[in-house]
Amino acid sequence: MRTRTAVAALTTCAALLAATGCSSGFGADKEPEQDTAGKQKLTVLIATSGDAETQAVKNAAAAYAKKSGNTVTVEVAKDMNQQLAQSFAGHRPPDVFYVNSDQFANYAKGGSLHPYGDRIADADDFSEQLRTSFSYDGKLVCLPKDASTLALAVNTDLWKKAGLTEKDYPKTWEDLRKVADRLTRDGVTGLVTSDEYQRLGVFMKQAGGSLTDPAQKKMTADSAENIKGLEFVQSLLKSGSMKFAKQVDTGWGGEALGKGKAAMTIEGNWLEGGMSHDYPDVKYAVVPLPAGPAGQGTLAFSNCWGVAADSAHRAAGVELVKHLSSAEQQLDFAAAFGVMPSRTSTLKTYAEKQPAAKAWVDGSAHAQGPVTIAGFDKVLNQFNTDLQSLRTADPKKILADLQRNGEQAIAKGN
């Protein structure tokens, strides 16, 4: 299940990665000798959402192996960030691997990633916002492997029980406030979501705010727009019509929705897999998030396909990535475990095949991608900790602290 939560600070070499460039290139400029054999053995390391994703990647790797003559072994990480950091430090990384957006810049700055974007002839077919997220020093380093956005999921039985119809799906913040109030009764909270930027950030975006400027060179966290977004969330929390998942004894919004403790939640397209697996009898609808003062807004998430700079199979690794990120393969992954294609052209085909995912697909047009600055993962971790007390805290203070911490990360990361 993909909750896309902030990742905890890494240990050992991982903690040194952003600060010192601990990686395959640390302390040496020597290029790894490349294997030129006709048949090569590649390893792929993934952080999986479950058996369906694991099997889908293995099937895709097997198809590439059959076509290329190379051997591909897919391994599932127990702790992706820690295992990658240790493998980079030991100069024995997997050839191809998932790279989370919050660690991307750390790895890129440390020289651990082989930048292969210039070898992708149709790179422009991938979402611009995600290409930006996985670029470093102006170069596309690795391809976004899929895409996810956030939308509003509604428990339709609770919705009808409150006397609401489809016409009442909220279009604005004020609409959201009214229906959340109406739905909060009999042990049910109108809106429940996680206490983190990766959910609450949609309100900042809808107010016209962002964490940084588009180039990610300047912090814009303490803006009037971001304050307005958090103040709106705070007003819902104070009214009791919105609660965080932990407050209703659940781990995430999907669980709160499935257990009938939430009438609405804000979640990504991974919700579909979680609901069908854990709460198959719960009826729900997914609709666009309501617009704020600046219009519609959501957040976009992805990992990318990394190729190790220390790999002896870089050319073969890039060819494998081309196969894994092809239009056909992206559609297969979408059908297998619920992600959306990161290719713009393929997303249209996906939308035709998955009409229930329309709100998530349409969200791509007004989504804000993740910040990928070396060391910024720690900044977000602190921001998320501060957001836990948003109900009683001062949003201006929270954002001022974020601004200061972010400026320090940018100074070190660029």
Side-chain angles (χ1 to χ4, degrees):
M1 179 186 311
R2 299 183 171 207
T3 59
R4 307 280 185 187
T5 55
V7 181
L10 304 180
T11 58
T12 61
C13 173
L16 297 173
L17 191 56
T20 66
C22 175
S23 73
S24 58
F26 182 54
D29 296 324
K30 185 179 179 180
E31 282 287 305
E33 184 177 350
Q34 294 298 295
D35 188 347
T36 58
K39 295 184 179 181
Q40 301 180 30
K41 294 183 178 180
L42 305 177
T43 57
V44 177
L45 185 67
I46 65 173
T48 182
S49 60
D51 292 341
E53 180 171 0
T54 302
Q55 193 57 52
V57 176
K58 287 184 175 180
N59 290 344
Y64 163 81
K66 183 177 181 180
K67 179 176 67 174
S68 67
N70 294 328
T71 301
V72 183
T73 301
V74 178
E75 300 174 352
V76 177
K78 293 182 179 180
D79 186 325
M80 189 69 174
N81 293 331
Q82 187 175 41
Q83 286 177 237
L84 277 180
Q86 290 173 342
S87 70
F88 293 151
H91 304 282
R92 297 180 62 85
D95 300 294
V96 176
F97 44 90
Y98 285 8
V99 179
N100 195 297
S101 60
D102 69 347
Q103 295 300 324
F104 163 75
N106 293 339
Y107 298 151
K109 181 183 180 183
S112 300
L113 302 178
H114 171 57
Y116 60 83
D118 59 351
R119 296 182 58 186
I120 308 301
D122 59 351
D124 288 348
D125 190 35
F126 291 81
S127 163
E128 181 179 1
Q129 65 194 10
L130 294 178
R131 276 188 284 123
T132 299
S133 295
F134 295 117
S135 294
Y136 189 79
D137 281 345
K139 295 181 180 179
L140 176 61
V141 176
C142 52
L143 293 181
K145 74 180 189 66
D146 51 42
S148 298
T149 63
L150 299 174
L152 187 70
V154 174
N155 182 312
T156 52
D157 284 339
L158 292 175
W159 194 262
K160 293 176 182 177
K161 187 178 179 180
L164 299 169
T165 69
E166 292 183 5
K167 294 181 179 180
D168 297 306
Y169 288 149
K171 301 293 192 301
T172 66
W173 279 6
E174 191 56 35
D175 292 342
L176 181 64
R177 185 192 304 278
K178 290 178 179 178
V179 295
D181 285 341
R182 186 165 177 173
L183 291 161
T184 301
R185 61 181 186 178
D186 302 327
V188 177
T189 301
L191 176 64
V192 175
T193 193
S194 303
D195 54 357
E196 57 183 352
Y197 167 75
Q198 288 84 346
R199 299 297 179 276
L200 305 181
V202 299
F203 296 102
M204 298 163 65
K205 175 69 166 65
Q206 291 158 11
S210 61
L211 299 185
T212 73
D213 68 339
Q216 298 191 5
K217 299 294 185 182
K218 180 181 178 181
M219 286 295 295
T220 58
D222 61 352
S223 68
E225 292 81 5
N226 284 333
I227 292 171
K228 183 178 292 186
L230 290 191
E231 285 180 341
F232 175 70
V233 175
Q234 186 178 63
S235 70
L236 296 181
L237 292 170
K238 287 184 174 181
S239 74
S241 64
M242 178 181 181
K243 292 181 180 178
F244 294 141
K246 296 174 185 176
Q247 294 177 284
V248 296
D249 298 320
T250 57
W252 67 299
E255 183 182 359
L257 191 74
K259 289 184 174 180
K261 295 186 176 184
M264 300 180 291
T265 190
I266 297 170
E267 280 297 340
N269 40 292
W270 52 85
L271 175 72
E272 185 176 358
M275 293 297 287
S276 62
H277 182 271
D278 297 324
Y279 311 103
D281 298 326
V282 175
K283 299 177 182 178
Y284 69 98
V286 180
V287 300
L289 287 165
Q296 290 183 288
T298 186
L299 302 182
F301 305 90
S302 183
N303 294 335
C304 78
W305 288 111
V307 173
D310 252 357
S311 170
H313 313 284
R314 295 195 306 210
V318 173
E319 291 305 309
L320 173 57
V321 169
K322 288 181 180 179
H323 171 80
L324 294 171
S325 58
S326 66
E328 180 181 5
Q329 192 56 64
Q330 287 206 351
L331 288 173
D332 286 347
F333 285 155
F337 54 96
V339 292
M340 298 192 307
S342 54
R343 286 180 174 272
T344 303
S345 60
T346 311
L347 189 60
K348 297 177 182 178
T349 305
Y350 169 78
E352 294 171 356
K353 293 186 175 183
Q354 302 288 341
K358 177 175 172 54
W360 286 312
V361 172
D362 290 349
S364 298
H366 44 261
Q368 193 170 77
V371 175
T372 52
I373 297 170
F376 203 81
D377 54 313
K378 296 178 182 178
V379 175
L380 274 187
N381 286 343
Q382 182 58 54
F383 183 37
N384 286 338
T385 297
D386 294 341
L387 286 174
Q388 293 174 12
S389 59
L390 178 59
R391 183 180 179 278
T392 57
D394 181 2
K396 293 181 181 179
K397 172 67 165 55
I398 291 175
L399 291 170
D401 290 344
L402 172 61
Q403 178 78 17
R404 183 180 64 254
N405 294 337
E407 287 173 348
Q408 293 174 356
I410 289 176
K412 294 178 181 178
N414 290 321

